[in-house]
Amino acid sequence: MDFKGQVVIVTGGARGIGKAICEAFAKRGANIAVVDLMDEEAVKTADELKALGVESISIKCDVSKSEDVKEMFNTVVEKLGGVDILVNNAGITRDTLVLRMKEEEWDAVIDVNLKSAFLCSKEALKLMAKKRFGRIINISSIVAFTGNPGQVNYSASKAALLGLTKTIAKEYASRGITCNAVAPGFITTAMTEALPDNIKEEMLKNIPLRRFGSPEDVANAVVFLASTEAGYITGQVIHVNGGMYM
């Protein structure tokens, strides 16, 4: 899978799964826009990608705000020449039980996890439709299918991404644009490492492959969906969870 000369935008690309996705594309020749609110970490990631011999820029952007997103896309086009692949990976959590959840905690998660994917996809589609080619990959979650106590906002946002994915896939298939989703299960990141050991042990019992996933496991699925080899796949979800959800 060769992406030489193609331009990839990864939101939430500074660390964790987002960073692994950036690295996977860069290793295959793509030029990368690392988009994140964490400015210093985004700059560091972009610099590391340059060492792989590709062009890479970091952009500080609140992807839940339309004006910020428009400015970000303008910067990518100006500095990298266009957009071929968009990975909507930005996401946050504000966990608590339904009756304790504040309205602002609901709104914050919906805005970052769902609204941002709508805003970024809208800008990307304008560019992709003109050249009749594009790949959009949305990062959903296993909890979109199972639900999860204490995560009604997160689960709802990740489930809604699936409807977004399928609708874009249907609207833009005739323009040579595919839109798919990846739904990770328990992936080892800084966020999940902070969980108590007893909780992690219980979760591991529910994974047939008996191991937690890595950010690279998710990145490999994203890269495949963006490739020419996956050109006849659209509106689909790839589950990356070790069999935790079947």
Side-chain angles (χ1 to χ4, degrees), residues 146-165:
T146 65
N148 200 35
Q151 288 195 313
V152 67
N153 48 4
Y154 187 79
S155 298
S157 69
K158 293 300 186 177
L161 275 178
L162 303 178
L164 178 78
T165 297

Side-chain angles (χ1 to χ4, degrees), residues 102-210:
K102 298 176 182 177
E103 186 176 349
E104 53 266 32
E105 292 172 325
W106 170 272
D107 289 343
V109 170
I110 296 297
D111 282 352
V112 175
N113 297 10
L114 177 61
K115 183 182 176 183
S116 71
F118 160 70
L119 294 176
C120 290
S121 296
K122 187 175 180 180
E123 293 304 312
L125 287 166
K126 294 176 185 177
L127 301 170
M128 294 174 178
K130 289 181 180 178
K131 57 185 176 182
R132 305 187 73 82
F133 175 84
R135 300 281 190 266
I136 297 176
I137 298 100
N138 298 314
I139 307 301
S140 181
S141 170
I142 188 173
V143 302
F145 299 86
T146 65
N148 200 35
Q151 288 195 313
V152 67
N153 48 4
Y154 187 79
S155 298
S157 69
K158 293 300 186 177
L161 275 178
L162 303 178
L164 178 78
T165 297
K166 292 177 183 295
T167 300
I168 290 175
K170 287 188 174 182
E171 288 186 358
Y172 283 89
S174 63
R175 301 292 184 91
I177 299 167
T178 67
C179 185
N180 293 287
V182 173
F186 193 103
I187 305 300
T188 301
T189 63
M191 185 184 298
T192 55
E193 279 296 292
L195 293 173
D197 288 341
N198 63 316
I199 292 179
K200 288 190 282 188
E201 289 170 7
E202 283 300 312
M203 295 186 75
L204 193 58
K205 293 177 183 178
N206 296 319
I207 303 175
L209 285 181
R210 290 294 184 267

Side-chain angles (χ1 to χ4, degrees), residues 18-87:
K19 182 176 181 179
I21 292 170
C22 290
E23 290 173 343
F25 277 113
K27 288 176 181 177
R28 293 164 175 82
N31 299 320
I32 314 292
V34 183
V35 178
D36 209 296
L37 266 179
M38 304 178 68
D39 193 31
E40 289 186 9
E41 290 196 42
V43 170
K44 181 180 177 182
T45 296
D47 287 342
E48 291 173 1
L49 297 176
K50 290 175 185 176
L52 297 174
V54 300
E55 292 185 63
S56 180
I57 60 174
S58 64
I59 304 174
K60 183 178 181 180
C61 176
D62 183 344
V63 287
S64 69
K65 298 185 183 301
S66 59
E67 291 306 314
D68 285 22
V69 169
K70 289 177 182 178
E71 184 177 343
M72 178 266 286
F73 269 84
N74 288 337
T75 300
V76 173
V77 171
E78 178 185 345
K79 294 188 175 182
L80 297 179
V83 178
D84 300 286
I85 300 161
L86 167 66
V87 183

